[in-house]
Amino acid sequence: MRVCDTIAGLREARRPLRGPLGFVPTMGALHEGHASLVRRARQECASVAVSIFVNPTQFGPHEDFARYPRTPDVDLRLLESLGVDVVIIPDADEMYPAGHVARVTMSGYPARGLEAAARPGHFNGVATVVAKLFAIVAAQRAYFGQKDAQQLAVVRRMVTDLDIDVEVVGCPTVREPDGLAMSSRNRYLSPDERRSATVLYRGLCRAREAWHDGERSPGALRRAIVGELLLERVVRPEYAAIVHPDTFRIYRGRVDGPALAAVAARVGTTRLIDNASLD
Ligand code: PAF
């Protein structure tokens, strides 16, 4: 496995690799969710590239950029064991050198509402770094987790709108045995908070049950989620919504198309998100 900290180094290491090349962008602090993306890329592609970069432009001024977990040695050992061919692990000056001013701006749905409203500028930061990584790695396929469903929709929209020649592959959320979606941020949780955090999944299950019982009112589906969240003292709901999975437009009347239940909540001081497809 070649490990590169420069863009030039990555381009050189990538040249002899057999195609198709699969790419898994990450911010490190890898867990089983990331491993599942790498395994899928390994199955479907002749070569696999991974990036590890905690991207400053997608964090707001009061978010957790400084304390975001950084575990490069453990991450690299995992990636080696998964048979990854090349890793790029650049620093911020390599990705955004002095004078760097170009940005990708996502100016409408799916980069509106929910995460976009809660984290202003977040998706422009994601789109910018992902566009740069796509240009650097030049992979044929890129693998993203469904756990960050709005991010996945934003990346798909960006790839379509900018005519980027990469196939975006969405992969299922990997959950702990008790249902908690795997996330690098789960490690912020105290043991008590960790127990309460399963309520996001339980809330989504309530909405799914209601859906299977024939409920099509977005308000009622939303209430099924929030009602569950409110059972946990340390959990503060931020939003629960029923959205179209591609556009992320919120259903206001009857749900009459493909539907995704999306939820965000603070568990103690940790902000968690999750979602579930309803159909
Ligand atoms: O999902 C993530 O880890 C990040 O948002 C990504 C896609 C690697 C961009 O920094």
Side-chain angles (χ1 to χ4, degrees):
M1 183 175 83
R2 291 273 302 271
V3 180
C4 313
D5 54 11
T6 64
I7 294 165
L10 184 282
R11 287 200 165 121
E12 200 231 83
R14 187 225 174 281
R15 216 167 291 130
L17 294 179
R18 283 190 308 122
L21 176 64
F23 172 47
V24 181
T26 82
M27 298 207 298
L30 302 181
H31 50 67
E32 191 47 39
H34 298 109
S36 75
L37 302 180
V38 173
R39 284 196 200 98
R40 173 94 178 258
R42 191 64 283 169
Q43 275 165 17
E44 296 181 353
C45 304
S47 310
V48 177
V50 174
S51 63
I52 298 177
F53 179 59
V54 186
N55 172 38
T57 66
Q58 69 187 73
F59 289 79
H62 305 296
E63 294 186 9
D64 56 345
F65 173 69
R67 74 168 184 137
Y68 195 85
R70 290 161 172 86
T71 57
D73 297 341
V74 184
D75 292 348
L76 290 175
R77 278 201 294 278
L78 174 68
L79 296 177
E80 174 106 65
S81 76
L82 292 170
V84 169
D85 296 281
V86 60
V87 179
I88 178 162
I89 177 163
D91 64 18
D93 289 338
E94 180 70 10
M95 290 297 280
Y96 302 111
H100 184 287
V101 292
R103 291 282 182 275
V104 176
T105 303
M106 302 297 297
S107 53
Y109 290 105
R112 206 175 258 180
L114 307 195
E115 286 307 284
R119 307 182 65 187
H122 171 66
F123 285 127
N124 290 343
V126 169
T128 299
V129 80
V130 171
K132 281 173 69 69
L133 289 166
F134 282 173
I136 294 164
V137 177
Q140 282 73 46
R141 294 192 191 121
Y143 295 79
F144 291 81
Q146 178 66 34
K147 145 86 169 43
D148 295 302
Q150 195 171 5
Q151 166 174 279
L152 176 58
V154 165
V155 169
R156 286 192 197 282
R157 184 78 255 168
M158 177 192 74
V159 162
T160 300
D161 291 356
L162 299 183
D163 304 301
I164 299 175
D165 192 11
V166 66
E167 181 191 343
V168 176
V169 183
C171 302
T173 302
V174 179
R175 298 185 180 279
E176 302 282 358
D178 61 7
L180 179 66
M182 292 210 180
S183 161
S184 304
R185 291 189 168 97
N186 291 349
R187 61 186 82 192
Y188 297 152
L189 300 168
S190 71
D192 271 355
E193 291 167 352
R194 168 66 188 77
R195 272 189 292 278
S196 298
T198 57
V199 78
L200 276 79
Y201 180 63
R202 283 185 270 134
L204 293 170
C205 291
R206 292 292 154 274
R208 227 190 227 158
E209 284 158 19
W211 176 271
H212 286 304
D213 289 345
E215 183 59 78
R216 292 295 181 273
S217 149
L221 293 163
R222 226 187 122 260
R223 282 193 295 280
I225 301 172
V226 176
E228 193 70 29
L229 294 183
L230 292 175
L231 297 176
E232 293 288 341
R233 201 179 35 85
V234 292
V235 174
R236 271 181 299 129
E238 265 195 16
Y239 64 71
I242 313 301
V243 300
H244 188 290
D246 301 330
T247 62
F248 265 75
R249 284 179 190 272
I250 296 177
Y251 283 104
R252 305 273 176 207
R254 201 180 141 76
V255 183
D256 56 359
L260 185 89
V263 62
R266 292 225 173 241
V267 182
T269 55
T270 305
R271 188 170 183 280
L272 298 180
I273 60 171
D274 200 353
N275 66 84
S277 172
L278 292 181
D279 30 26

